[in-house]
Amino acid sequence: MKRLHAALLLSACFASLPVLAEDGTQVTSTENETAYFLSSSLPDKEVAILMKAAEEKHIPVYFRGLISDNMDQTAKYMLNLITTNKVRGIQIDPVRFERYGVKQVPALVRKCGDHFDIVYGNVALNQALDMISQRGDCRDNP
């Protein structure tokens, strides 16, 4: 796995890490995927912009879990995002967060076989995809 961190829109640093999930097990090669990890802790406008960019690329968006472990609050949050910002919605999948060891958001993951790359931070989605395509373990996989 290669981890691509980006603290600012245009600055990034690149480091190589082993291909292990958070629990120490090897990431399975069941499928190749690209996934975007976000959170309600980000400002609503930012979440909407990031979600729209992911939707344009047909990349699914994941949250770790319910907001404050409350289904009602999560539904209201999503309804507001959908009606105000015209986004499609998110999937809740704590297993994916664990599988890739995602501890901060935004995070873009591209998995290819037994390898995966992660780009963290406030980076334009196209730029993050380009970073993986140019320097990641998954650079040869679309």
Side-chain angles (χ1 to χ4, degrees), residues 33-130:
E33 73 172 331
T34 303
Y36 208 27
F37 297 87
L38 300 175
S39 169
S40 64
S41 64
L42 298 168
D44 290 356
K45 293 253 186 227
E46 184 177 346
V47 169
I49 290 168
L50 297 172
M51 287 178 68
K52 284 180 181 182
E55 288 172 1
E56 287 175 10
K57 299 279 186 190
H58 305 287
I59 298 172
V61 175
Y62 297 97
F63 277 28
R64 181 182 308 274
L66 300 175
I67 299 168
S68 300
D69 286 328
N70 184 301
M71 180 62 93
D72 222 25
Q73 188 175 350
T74 304
K76 287 177 184 175
Y77 172 82
M78 285 312 303
L79 182 62
N80 180 55
L81 266 181
I82 291 166
T83 57
T84 304
N85 300 293
K86 309 299 185 236
V87 294
R88 291 188 201 125
I90 54 111
Q91 297 179 51
I92 296 174
D93 192 344
V95 173
R96 264 195 177 78
F97 272 79
E98 290 299 316
R99 180 184 302 148
Y100 298 115
V102 175
K103 298 280 187 207
Q104 62 190 34
V105 293
L108 175 71
V109 171
R110 174 166 290 159
K111 181 179 179 295
C112 55
D114 290 335
H115 303 283
F116 64 94
D117 299 307
I118 302 177
V119 177
Y120 286 105
N122 189 14
V123 176
L125 189 58
N126 284 336
Q127 182 183 5
L129 291 166
D130 285 345

Side-chain angles (χ1 to χ4, degrees), residues 20-33:
L20 298 176
E22 185 64 22
D23 63 2
T25 59
Q26 189 169 4
V27 176
T28 62
S29 61
T30 55
E31 68 177 281
N32 296 338
E33 73 172 331

Side-chain angles (χ1 to χ4, degrees), residues 1-5 13-20 115-118 135-139:
M1 165 186 68
K2 288 204 177 161
R3 220 178 196 176
L4 306 169
H5 297 270
C13 104
F14 194 71
S16 181
L17 297 172
V19 184
L20 298 176
H115 303 283
F116 64 94
D117 299 307
I118 302 177
R135 300 180 294 196
D137 285 345
C138 296
R139 68 180 157 263

